[in-house]
Amino acid sequence: MKKFINDPQQFVPEMLKGIALANPDTLRYVPEYNLIARADAPNPNKVTIIQGSGSGHEPAHVMTVGRGMLDGACPGDVFAAPPMDYVYETTKLLASPKGVLLLVNNYTGDRMAFDMAQEMSQADGLEVRTLFIDDDVSVQDSTYTVGRRGVAGNFFVMKAVGAAAENGADLDELIRIGEKVNSVTRTMGIALTACTPPAKGSPLFELGDDEIEIGVGIHGEPGRRRGTWAPANELMDVLMDAVVGDLPFESGDRVAVMINGLGGTPISELYLLYGIAHEALSQRGITVGRNYVGEYCTSLDMAGASLTLVRLDDEIEQLLAAPAEIAIRVF
Amino acid sequence: MKKFINDPQQFVPEMLKGIALANPDTLRYVPEYNLIARADAPNPNKVTIIQGSGSGHEPAHVMTVGRGMLDGACPGDVFAAPPMDYVYETTKLLASPKGVLLLVNNYTGDRMAFDMAQEMSQADGLEVRTLFIDDDVSVQDSTYTVGRRGVAGNFFVMKAVGAAAENGADLDELIRIGEKVNSVTRTMGIALTACTPPAKGSPLFELGDDEIEIGVGIHGEPGRRRGTWAPANELMDVLMDAVVGDLPFESGDRVAVMINGLGGTPISELYLLYGIAHEALSQRGITVGRNYVGEYCTSLDMAGASLTLVRLDDEIEQLLAAPAEIAIRVF
């Protein structure tokens, strides 16, 4: 295993320290709970938004903390749900009088941690609600879930409720918006290679020289089927048919499109995929209102990509277009 | 080779088409010359800034076209200098009455193409100047260069002259600023894996399971030496000693720091490296004024990273902080 790491057990804290050092004015780091928070959180004038999840999906979620996005993220170790007490302590530390919204991608481990933390926080008298995200169309139940998995489409829920919270929306309104965005968001991904967790030191699963995993989960868990490598046009057809057919998206729809890289795929290939997706949508009479090409939710160093579509209406489009500031930036 | 591609010969044009489709309001695509240009170029009130280089280094340079950055980029095929006529035609198409500045990373092939294009443009009566970037400290001469190579530090020259041009600076002033930034910018990189050019279909060079290339070039060309994998702290020591010692950077200096990913390394590892770099600089009495963590100049799917330092003064820091807009964005 050749990675830029020291002790594999310290991979997550050393990454978090780097994020904090790179953002001294805007972020606060609380090592006890793997917590990256906005320096100005809690803000009494807005609902606090927190997301956990395992590590290894960066920029999700520790690098999407900032104005108009998350107030805090308290990840677990690589591909492991955050311990319940991380979520509980983070909730207490960042609680606003307007309440706390917990965003959770639908995995059994994450649900357990967040459900327990919510109950304990509520017993303390805090107003806490939870919103589950389950945008992955590839499988109904899977290795780590009952029901569909939450994957890259999570970004759109975060962005929309983040913008609404910044505008002063209350907790009920955020739940309404988040559920609405989740209900019109669909994703599927393809892995070209496996990924290597630092503590394991070897690939999490085996893929042959010509094999790909269609509908892969963001922890490398199986999707719909193993397939054989095919040209990008054909792979995008598979993703597009699955994603469009699921909602379904229809001629006349206006959508946001995300081509998300899984960690090891260069941005050149992601833009190549975007061009194919854009034309495929045009042929179906679907208009692209907003596009997102890059890494939003990764699986460590996995080569692969996912396609997400969101059906836009004026409300969602305005929330997605609202300004936001996070750790990831070009300038 | 498992990549998201169709015909390897169409890799570059299909990527460029995707970039153009993703930025319909701000970019123009001229397929004949692999040209991505600002939709509003040429702007008679500013010097036009153009960069070529081979493809495979994205986001450099086709994704760094935009307000406050490049007016146009006309890349060659993967790891191949742009043909002279791409540069010549691009120069003519985007020429402003205030002149044209050509930015060129120092590689023999690129220099030839740009030198000839400059001569032909000047013969046409255009005012054209060229600025060479050579920030890589690893080797003095190399496979494709006489003199040092231009690598990720190129970003800072682009950003500074881009901002100054937006403010109305003339061609002489841009040359002064660009040469100044280049003179205080130093970079070195390490490859953990090779990269696979689409048309070749196999890794460009061989690295053993425990081997790394220290001082690697952005086309995978050899650097200072083959080494054995070591923990991130030790690898950063090697980079820091080489980069700091070269200018040299000294106690009391204020710097911009870039941890640049080479294409296949996840952003989690880049932030881990940033944390180490930040502390190493503090220990040397060097203050970090600005930081950049992500992919700026890649080598296709190569796993690896480079460290760039820029010695800041008020002028450079203001130019780096100026607003800019490019194809790569999170929101």
Side-chain angles (χ1 to χ4, degrees):
Chain A
M1 172 183 58
K2 290 186 291 186
K3 289 178 181 292
F4 292 110
I5 56 168
N6 292 302
D7 175 1
Q9 303 302 329
Q10 296 303 311
F11 175 68
V12 173
E14 290 187 9
M15 166 187 70
L16 297 176
K17 190 171 79 172
I19 296 169
L21 287 171
N23 296 276
D25 300 328
T26 53
L27 298 181
R28 178 161 50 126
Y29 172 37
V30 184
E32 294 89 320
Y33 315 121
N34 276 358
L35 172 60
I36 295 283
R38 286 174 62 168
D40 59 358
N43 176 344
N45 300 315
K46 70 178 287 291
V47 173
T48 294
I49 306 177
I50 295 167
Q51 176 129 20
S53 93
S55 291
H57 305 303
E58 294 73 23
H61 300 281
V62 287
M63 298 171 195
T64 56
V65 173
R67 189 173 64 89
M69 293 287 284
L70 301 178
D71 293 277
C74 53
D77 208 339
V78 170
F79 294 172
M84 182 275 292
D85 61 309
Y86 285 19
V87 184
Y88 175 51
E89 297 294 341
T90 294
T91 302
K92 286 195 294 185
L93 208 59
L94 302 185
S96 153
K98 293 199 71 169
V100 176
L101 177 64
L102 302 176
L103 297 182
V104 186
N105 282 357
N106 184 41
Y107 295 95
T108 305
D110 294 273
R111 288 190 78 122
M112 281 176 56
F114 279 83
D115 281 348
M116 289 169 64
Q118 176 176 330
E119 276 182 36
M120 291 175 67
S121 307
Q122 286 170 336
D124 289 345
L126 297 176
E127 194 186 359
V128 181
R129 305 272 299 276
T130 302
L131 190 71
F132 295 102
I133 297 140
D134 59 352
D135 55 308
D136 188 347
V137 308
S138 60
V139 286
Q140 188 53 40
D141 300 316
S142 73
T143 317
Y144 306 118
T145 56
V146 177
R148 290 182 165 188
R149 304 176 292 212
V151 290
N154 164 78
F155 171 85
F156 294 101
V157 176
M158 243 192 311
K159 179 70 186 71
V161 298
E166 215 66 47
N167 295 339
D170 66 17
L171 201 42
D172 284 342
E173 177 72 350
L174 294 188
I175 294 281
R176 180 190 69 76
I177 290 168
E179 288 180 343
K180 175 178 158 181
V181 173
N182 185 57
S183 76
V184 294
T185 299
R186 296 291 187 275
T187 300
M188 195 161 96
I190 288 178
L192 303 185
T193 70
C195 57
T196 299
K200 185 169 190 293
S202 59
L204 199 54
F205 58 103
E206 293 297 328
L207 271 179
D209 280 350
D210 264 347
E211 276 188 324
I212 61 175
E213 181 69 36
I214 296 167
V216 69
I218 56 173
H219 313 93
E221 64 269 38
R224 292 192 171 181
R225 63 182 172 88
R226 282 285 163 96
T228 304
W229 180 88
N233 283 337
E234 293 175 35
L235 297 182
M236 182 51 73
D237 275 347
V238 171
L239 292 179
M240 194 59 78
D241 285 346
V243 171
V244 168
D246 190 87
L247 188 61
F249 294 87
E250 292 174 336
S251 178
D253 280 350
R254 181 173 167 88
V255 296
V257 183
M258 175 185 280
I259 303 293
N260 170 59
L262 295 182
T265 287
I267 197 162
S268 47
E269 295 178 40
L270 301 180
Y271 271 97
L272 185 149
L273 287 175
Y274 178 76
I276 301 169
H278 186 107
E279 295 198 323
L281 288 165
S282 295
Q283 283 159 14
R284 291 167 194 256
I286 298 171
T287 305
V288 178
R290 299 184 65 78
N291 65 75
Y292 302 77
V293 184
E295 292 178 348
Y296 293 84
C297 185
T298 61
S299 303
L300 295 167
D301 52 353
M302 180 184 285
S306 63
L307 168 71
T308 300
L309 297 180
V310 185
R311 187 162 62 203
L312 297 173
D313 61 14
D314 289 348
E315 181 183 43
I316 296 175
E317 193 157 357
Q318 278 170 26
L319 292 168
L320 295 183
E325 285 169 12
I326 58 171
I328 309 284
R329 55 184 184 278
V330 177
F331 300 112
Chain B
M1 174 183 57
K2 290 188 290 186
K3 288 177 181 292
F4 293 111
I5 56 166
N6 293 303
D7 174 1
Q9 302 302 329
Q10 296 302 312
F11 175 68
V12 172
E14 290 187 11
M15 165 187 73
L16 297 177
K17 190 171 78 172
I19 296 169
L21 286 171
N23 297 277
D25 299 329
T26 51
L27 297 182
R28 177 162 50 127
Y29 173 36
V30 184
E32 293 89 320
Y33 314 121
N34 278 357
L35 171 60
I36 295 283
R38 288 174 61 168
D40 60 358
N43 176 343
N45 300 315
K46 71 179 284 292
V47 173
T48 295
I49 305 177
I50 296 167
Q51 177 130 21
S53 93
S55 290
H57 306 302
E58 295 72 24
H61 300 280
V62 285
M63 299 173 194
T64 56
V65 173
R67 189 173 65 88
M69 294 286 285
L70 299 179
D71 292 277
C74 53
D77 208 339
V78 170
F79 294 170
M84 182 276 293
D85 61 309
Y86 285 20
V87 184
Y88 175 52
E89 297 295 339
T90 294
T91 302
K92 285 194 294 184
L93 208 59
L94 302 185
S96 153
K98 292 199 71 170
V100 176
L101 176 63
L102 302 175
L103 297 182
V104 185
N105 281 357
N106 184 40
Y107 295 96
T108 305
D110 293 274
R111 288 190 78 124
M112 280 176 57
F114 279 84
D115 280 348
M116 288 168 65
Q118 175 176 331
E119 274 183 38
M120 291 175 67
S121 306
Q122 287 171 334
D124 288 346
L126 297 176
E127 196 186 355
V128 181
R129 304 273 297 274
T130 302
L131 191 69
F132 296 102
I133 296 140
D134 59 351
D135 56 307
D136 187 347
V137 307
S138 59
V139 286
Q140 188 52 41
D141 299 314
S142 74
T143 316
Y144 306 119
T145 56
V146 175
R148 290 183 163 188
R149 302 175 295 210
V151 290
N154 164 76
F155 171 85
F156 295 100
V157 176
M158 243 192 311
K159 178 69 185 71
V161 298
E166 214 68 47
N167 295 339
D170 66 19
L171 199 42
D172 284 341
E173 177 73 348
L174 294 187
I175 294 279
R176 180 190 69 77
I177 290 169
E179 287 180 346
K180 175 178 158 181
V181 173
N182 184 57
S183 76
V184 293
T185 299
R186 296 291 187 275
T187 300
M188 195 162 95
I190 288 179
L192 303 185
T193 69
C195 56
T196 299
K200 183 167 189 294
S202 59
L204 199 54
F205 59 105
E206 294 298 328
L207 271 180
D209 281 350
D210 265 346
E211 274 187 326
I212 62 176
E213 181 70 36
I214 296 167
V216 68
I218 56 173
H219 312 92
E221 64 270 38
R224 290 192 174 184
R225 62 183 173 89
R226 281 286 163 95
T228 304
W229 180 87
N233 284 337
E234 293 175 36
L235 297 182
M236 183 52 73
D237 275 348
V238 171
L239 292 178
M240 193 61 77
D241 284 346
V243 171
V244 167
D246 191 86
L247 189 59
F249 295 87
E250 292 174 337
S251 178
D253 281 350
R254 182 174 167 88
V255 297
V257 182
M258 174 184 282
I259 303 293
N260 170 59
L262 294 182
T265 287
I267 196 162
S268 47
E269 295 177 39
L270 300 181
Y271 271 97
L272 186 149
L273 287 175
Y274 178 76
I276 301 168
H278 185 106
E279 295 198 323
L281 289 164
S282 295
Q283 283 159 15
R284 292 168 193 256
I286 298 171
T287 304
V288 178
R290 300 185 64 80
N291 65 76
Y292 302 79
V293 184
E295 292 177 347
Y296 293 83
C297 185
T298 61
S299 302
L300 295 167
D301 53 353
M302 180 183 286
S306 62
L307 167 70
T308 300
L309 297 180
V310 185
R311 187 163 63 204
L312 297 173
D313 61 14
D314 289 348
E315 180 183 44
I316 295 175
E317 193 158 358
Q318 279 170 26
L319 292 168
L320 296 183
E325 286 168 13
I326 58 171
I328 309 286
R329 55 185 185 275
V330 178
F331 300 112

